[in-house]
Amino acid sequence: FKDLTQVEMAEENENLKQRLLLLGQMAAGLAHEIRNPIAGIGVHCSILKSHFSQNEKLMSSVNMMAGEIARVEYIIRECLNFVRPTELGIRKVHVDKIIEGVVDRLKSVHPGIDFSMKKTKEAELTAEVDPGLFEQAVTNILSNAVEACEGKGKVEISFSMSRHFSDLVRLGMKAEPLVSGHSGREEEFIRIIIRDNGPGIPLEIQDKIFVPFFTTKKTGTGIGLPMAQKIIHTHGGVMDLTSGPGKGTEFIIKIPVRQKGGE
């Protein structure tokens, strides 16, 4: 995982925005066309339930149909949530405390997973983020790590600080401005690494992990990790992974301590 310059980060975020714009236009049209017949099927399921409440065999089939309708509606909502522009409610928060809260909830549901956290002593782990969205992103990533361990394994979260110049690029021994007139202020980032000891991700599918709706799980929607990446990008951060068969997976997050326009 490399430290991206501000130019590379801007290009990455702009590419994501363009992909979301195209996907959003398509998703809105598809959602409208799919929801109309689904709503009609749902009405008829309700009618059948009222007429065949005493017939267990038919009710089993009707309930299965209702469940599939709910699943399609859920996928549509997830798709629309993903492609909509993200508006941030920025607050200065302790990102490690947010992650600790997510870990505590996952511990109660997955007692077979050994969670550990390693914090840096370099600085206080506070950043300007949208607490709800950041928590959602971390929950998606940690849930993916837990699922990779299949109920029994280790998930480690570590923190550190990194810095780079937002408006300067180093050329040899000198720092030259990318844009004339910019100050070249050094920016701080919190680096978060989430590591699991699961089976790892095959090399041939690693490029698809952040592609919306790509999933290798029977019950997955393929939105969790792309949504997490979108949230991190919206904060001006970056997200990447390293993995290999039998070596587990590391998700690396870099999120700025201060948002643009902040003090």
Side-chain angles (χ1 to χ4, degrees), residues 17 68 84:
K17 287 179 183 177
E68 292 301 307
R84 286 186 182 119

Side-chain angles (χ1 to χ4, degrees), residues 201 205-212 214 222 225-226 241 251:
I201 303 170
I205 68 170
Q206 288 185 20
D207 288 343
K208 302 176 183 178
I209 290 301
F210 296 118
V211 175
F214 173 81
L225 291 178
L241 69 83
F251 285 96

Side-chain angles (χ1 to χ4, degrees), residues 111-246:
I113 302 296
D114 178 19
F115 290 93
S116 64
M117 296 183 68
K118 296 182 179 180
K119 298 184 182 181
T120 179
K121 296 182 180 180
E122 297 176 28
E124 193 175 29
L125 296 169
T126 58
E128 295 174 355
V129 302
D130 182 305
L133 288 174
F134 181 75
E135 181 177 334
Q136 180 185 352
V138 172
T139 299
N140 290 356
I141 300 166
L142 282 170
S143 296
N144 186 84
V146 168
E147 290 174 8
C149 293
E150 298 181 344
K152 188 175 182 181
K154 296 181 179 180
V155 175
E156 178 185 284
I157 304 102
S158 60
F159 303 86
S160 62
M161 303 297 295
S162 65
R163 295 174 175 83
H164 70 65
F165 288 96
S166 63
D167 301 310
L168 299 183
V169 60
R170 294 201 171 277
L171 302 173
M173 299 297 293
K174 298 177 65 178
E176 299 291 345
L178 291 173
V179 180
S180 177
H182 281 227
S183 63
R185 183 177 64 180
E186 189 179 43
E187 299 286 357
E188 285 187 304
F189 286 77
I190 297 176
R191 183 194 296 269
I192 306 161
I193 297 178
I194 297 174
R195 180 185 298 109
D196 68 64
N197 68 341
I201 303 170
L203 183 61
E204 61 270 18
I205 68 170
Q206 288 185 20
D207 288 343
K208 302 176 183 178
I209 290 301
F210 296 118
V211 175
F213 308 112
F214 173 81
T215 181
T216 58
K217 303 168 188 172
K218 291 181 179 179
T219 58
T221 61
I223 286 290
L225 291 178
M227 178 63 81
Q229 186 189 53
K230 177 191 173 184
I231 291 170
I232 298 302
H233 280 201
T234 304
H235 281 85
V238 290
M239 178 175 165
D240 204 351
L241 69 83
T242 62
S243 185

